[in-house]
Amino acid sequence: MSIVVTGATGQLGRLIVAHLLNRGVAPAEITAVGRNTVRLAELAASGVGTAVIDYTDPASLEAAFAGADALMLVSGSEVGQRVAQHTNAITAAVAAGVGRIVYTSAPKADTSALILAPEHKATEEALHASGLPVTILRNGWYTENYASAVQQARENGVYLTSAGEGRVASASRTDYAEAAAVVLTTPGHENVTYELAGDVAWTGTDMAAALTEVVGSPVVFSSVTPEEHSAILTGAGLDGGTVGFVVALDANTRDGLLAGGTNDLATLIGRPTTPLIDGLRSVA
């Protein structure tokens, strides 16, 4: 078996490599690729192969992917550039003779109004057009995304959002990474799409209660309007693009677009997903 993991210097990619090793994949069978040479060197210390890639350099991609039985295509983090980056990687995978691709997408990417969905939908379409066997992992929200909420709760005792009581079925990043490792190392996942989410869809009230326990002091839930939220974020010094993104994402949450609805994640990893409070403690 030969597995290439893109984005291996990022938070999710590093965990996928770790879970592959935990599942008994030999280090020599894993190639971790990315742009951060320092972090690649850290991964190399565990015995895995490494390569520096650039999504704008097809030759670097083809060389890194050559001979791979499976390519773990971790979605890029540069919003607005991901379709081009992912398309370059898919084209290189075909040219390099990769056996199959596993991709981390977004919930219901082909039909959702989620602000993050369009780039993932376009990538899924490119994957299906490639002719390669593909597995789509539509990752839900990461509990670790609320690290700043923990800090803010500790500082001012408030969990503020314009998502109302919209539910979020979050899970810890390691849950999603473990699911990816399972798909990469077991048969029967070709041309399958999984909708991955946490077992429990929590509300803003639930989050405030969990934060209270994590920080050890009372945290109140403050539900504000989108307009009020925009003004608060702008007053805190955030740029207009970031403010718009955060408020739009809260609107998506309010509309139930991150509420999950399947047990695909727990089924793949063979255990319950990490509870909200434990995920928050990991970033406290």
Side-chain angles (χ1 to χ4, degrees):
M1 181 185 296
S2 173
I3 301 172
V4 174
V5 180
T6 73
T9 58
Q11 293 173 308
L12 181 64
R14 288 170 67 88
L15 286 171
I16 292 173
V17 171
H19 277 290
L20 288 171
L21 294 171
N22 289 341
R23 291 183 61 80
V25 179
E29 296 177 322
I30 302 170
T31 301
V33 304
R35 292 180 294 184
N36 189 312
T37 56
V38 173
R39 292 180 181 174
L40 285 175
E42 293 170 356
L43 287 165
S46 66
V48 305
T50 62
V52 177
I53 63 168
D54 185 333
Y55 282 120
T56 65
D57 179 6
S60 73
L61 298 173
E62 286 185 37
F65 299 167
D69 296 309
L71 171 66
M72 179 67 245
L73 180 55
V74 176
S75 56
S77 60
E78 297 174 88
V79 176
Q81 300 182 46
R82 290 187 287 193
V83 175
Q85 292 175 345
H86 297 163
T87 300
N88 286 344
I90 294 164
T91 301
V94 173
V98 168
R100 63 187 175 112
I101 300 178
V102 179
Y103 174 66
T104 57
S105 188
K108 300 178 182 178
D110 56 340
T111 59
S112 177
L114 185 69
I115 190 172
L116 296 169
E119 288 184 301
H120 291 291
K121 177 182 179 181
T123 300
E124 289 187 13
E125 292 170 348
L127 284 164
H128 291 309
S130 73
L132 294 177
V134 173
T135 306
I136 306 296
L137 302 178
R138 289 178 173 167
N139 287 1
W141 216 236
Y142 304 138
T143 300
E144 290 86 349
N145 290 343
Y146 296 93
S148 61
V150 176
Q151 183 62 32
Q152 290 166 4
R154 183 174 284 116
E155 292 174 356
N156 59 28
V158 174
Y159 173 60
L160 185 145
T161 176
S162 55
E165 286 284 17
R167 293 182 177 271
V168 179
S170 69
S172 287
R173 194 174 274 110
T174 190
D175 296 339
Y176 295 103
E178 185 175 352
V182 169
V183 167
L184 288 164
T185 57
T186 58
H189 306 288
E190 289 81 1
N191 301 316
V192 176
T193 296
Y194 294 103
E195 295 284 350
L196 305 183
D199 295 338
V200 177
W202 48 265
T203 66
T205 299
D206 297 327
M207 171 62 88
L211 289 169
T212 293
E213 187 167 342
V214 170
V215 303
S217 57
V219 176
V220 299
F221 171 43
S222 177
S223 180
V224 298
T225 67
E227 294 75 19
E228 290 169 335
H229 200 186
S230 294
I232 291 167
L233 294 174
T234 300
L238 275 67
D239 64 87
T242 301
V243 170
F245 177 83
V246 171
V247 174
L249 187 60
D250 271 11
N252 290 161
T253 303
R254 190 172 59 249
D255 292 339
L257 303 186
L258 294 176
T262 80
N263 63 351
D264 285 356
L265 180 53
T267 299
L268 281 174
I269 62 180
R271 60 171 175 79
T273 60
T274 304
L276 172 63
I277 193 164
D278 293 334
L280 294 174
R281 284 193 177 110
S282 74
V283 294

